Amino acid sequence: LVRVPLADGLAKAKELLAAQPGDSNRVVHVLSDLRAADFAEDGDAVKAAVGEMTAAGTKVFLVDTAHPARKPG
């Protein structure tokens, strides 16, 4: 496992997607414990990156991997 800042990981995903043919299905799964600290530091960059990818037709799924599981709400 490698831990990188969420914004950096999304930037790398965008780079990899840009190298793919335009007619390919684009799906990004982000596995994270969704730490509040990540969003406090890079929240605007994360929101912008996800927005740019979805605007370009990429499906982005954020998967919360925190243990123990969080309660809804």
Side-chain angles (χ1 to χ4, degrees), residues 17-57:
L17 288 169
Q20 300 303 310
D23 62 345
S24 60
N25 287 330
R26 297 165 184 265
V27 180
V28 173
H29 294 269
V30 178
L31 305 178
S32 172
D33 59 5
L34 301 174
R35 298 177 196 197
D38 289 336
F39 291 93
E41 291 177 18
D42 298 326
D44 291 337
V46 169
K47 183 178 178 181
V50 170
E52 290 168 11
M53 285 192 279
T54 57

